[in-house]
Amino acid sequence: MHTKEELISINPLLEKVANLEPTVWINPDRETGEKAWANVEFTIDDIIDAEKRMKRFAPLMVKLFSAVEGVEESKGILESPLVHLENLEKKYKDEKNLKGNLYLKLDSHLPVCGSIKARGGLYEVLVFAETLAKENNLIDDSKDYSQFSDKNFKKLFSKYTVQVASTGNLGISVGVMGAALGFNTIVHMSNDAKEWKKTHLRNKGATVIEYDGEFSSAITQAREISIKDPYSYFVDDENSKTLFKGYSVAALRVKKQLEEMNIKVDENHPIFLYMPCGVGGSSGGVAFGFRKVLGDNVHAFFVETTHIPSFLIGASTKLHSEVSVHDLGIDGITEADGLSVARPSKFSGFTMETLLSGIFTCNDDVLFEHLKKLNELEDIRIEPSSCASIDGAVDLFNYENAKEYLENHNLMDKLDNITHICWATGGNLVPEDVMNEYLSK
């Protein structure tokens, strides 16, 4: 355990963080060109390989989930819209000093699982299934992958258990995919997970085990349980490179969407990416993908809430998973359940050291303010935690060190050309009564 005084001595900004003041940390180690990739183990080939695998499994997605809106139409390639928030953009330009063009990536509406976690969670279960099928001579890359729903595959998969620890959305994606393929699925959930998510999982055939402690405790216990079973596979949100690769494919998809929308990406037309961040796996995977696919003109920021700024503390001290929000005297209690992780991923933290531009924090209250405006002006409903990304775009122009970042990167004369991409990480599966409760806050 590290003391509050020790952490603040490493990074004086943490005094504001400890006092729960919204702020932004700018990463002094961000690099461009070859220097950015010197210590990053992933390459463009990892992204392309993951995309090819998703395409091989596309016929299976249609076969398993044809009743889900959008699956058959997309031929099993699960993707979400990128939308221009024209009305919200105008309002925030008038009221909050926003500059540039405001877009929302609606992973909240990804088919099947309704969250960003579908990119990684579904993918990792499919990778495990493919590995088993190849080891048992049931499939090779040239065959039709829709066969994965056949009886002989399900007979094989039924011998195995897929387990995951989650605050909600990753559990849903792993649980739904695992159950659909015939795996026994167990989702270990911390006490801050929403009740409706537990109910949804049970209705899909997954076993839910609840823990009194926080996510960090739940994932440690779940990992230990899985290790003891030779027929158990654990999807490790803190350390999984497979999840990370699945998330990174989003960059290829967005690149295509930007081209179709005639949106330029170059030194005069930068991309500012805002990812709500919990443990850092999905946010890190997408940010890595953007930097690798779209280049140095991408400025990637994470956004956390003031009560659970785990990645900011870990990244700014370079202690990563060795430090917890509790070491700084922060309670870790937030309405943003998808971000409710007290200790960040060491693996993602190391990977992001030279790729990330910075990390914003915001109060819970503003999440609901953005949600209400998004609903009123754009007729879009997402989870409160997703709205953290919107606050990042707004706050870029409201902090002196963020303005210094813009100046240091010669962007002050290009502000109107910025494309802000805010990532809606979840929301479409939220029950109507729960969403109405959010909107009434």
Side-chain angles (χ1 to χ4, degrees), residues 98-99 101-105 271-277 283 286 290 299-303 358 360 386 388-397 406 418-425:
L98 176 71
K99 304 287 193 301
N101 309 288
L102 190 63
Y103 286 79
L104 188 65
K105 180 60 174 166
I271 294 284
F272 275 67
L273 174 69
Y274 307 92
M275 300 297 305
C277 180
S283 47
V286 172
F290 265 66
H299 303 266
F301 288 86
F302 292 170
V303 192
F360 290 94
S386 294
S389 61
I390 298 173
D391 204 65
V394 171
D395 281 347
L396 179 67
F397 305 97
L406 294 169
I418 293 175
T419 298
H420 302 279
I421 299 181
C422 306
W423 215 274
T425 48

Side-chain angles (χ1 to χ4, degrees), residues 262-397:
N262 295 315
I263 297 174
K264 296 179 180 178
V265 183
D266 55 36
E267 62 180 8
N268 294 314
H269 301 84
I271 294 284
F272 275 67
L273 174 69
Y274 307 92
M275 300 297 305
C277 180
V279 73
S282 57
S283 47
V286 172
F288 152 74
F290 265 66
R291 285 294 309 269
K292 178 56 72 175
V293 171
L294 292 164
D296 293 336
N297 295 307
V298 170
H299 303 266
F301 288 86
F302 292 170
V303 192
E304 302 179 292
T305 65
T306 53
H307 281 262
I308 196 87
S310 57
F311 209 94
L312 189 157
I313 298 170
S316 68
T317 60
K318 294 191 177 180
L319 292 170
H320 303 301
S321 62
E322 295 177 18
V323 67
S324 161
V325 298
H326 303 305
D327 295 339
L328 206 57
I330 298 175
D331 59 17
I333 299 172
T334 177
E335 288 283 351
D337 63 306
L339 313 184
S340 186
V341 180
R343 193 179 297 274
S345 164
K346 179 179 180 179
F347 150 66
S348 182
F350 277 131
T351 305
M352 287 293 104
E353 280 188 355
T354 53
L355 303 180
L356 189 64
S357 293
I359 303 172
F360 290 94
T361 63
C362 63
N363 289 323
D364 278 12
D365 290 350
V366 303
L367 304 179
F368 296 101
E369 291 174 14
H370 294 312
L371 177 59
K372 289 174 187 175
K373 289 187 174 71
L374 192 61
N375 179 53
E376 293 167 4
L377 299 175
E378 305 288 353
D379 194 28
I380 294 173
R381 297 181 172 193
I382 59 180
E383 284 186 315
S385 56
S386 294
C387 294
S389 61
I390 298 173
D391 204 65
V394 171
D395 281 347
L396 179 67
F397 305 97

Side-chain angles (χ1 to χ4, degrees), residues 11 47 64 67 84 181 196 245 264 270 329 364 378 380 415:
N11 178 15
I47 305 175
L64 292 177
H84 189 185
L181 287 173
W196 71 263
K245 292 174 185 178
K264 296 179 180 178
D364 278 12
E378 305 288 353
I380 294 173
L415 300 184

Side-chain angles (χ1 to χ4, degrees), residues 134-152:
K134 286 183 175 181
E135 288 175 351
N136 287 272
N137 299 313
L138 293 177
I139 200 78
D140 62 52
D141 291 355
S142 66
K143 293 182 180 177
D144 178 6
Y145 271 39
S146 66
Q147 294 178 67
F148 272 77
S149 65
D150 292 353
K151 288 181 180 179
N152 55 335

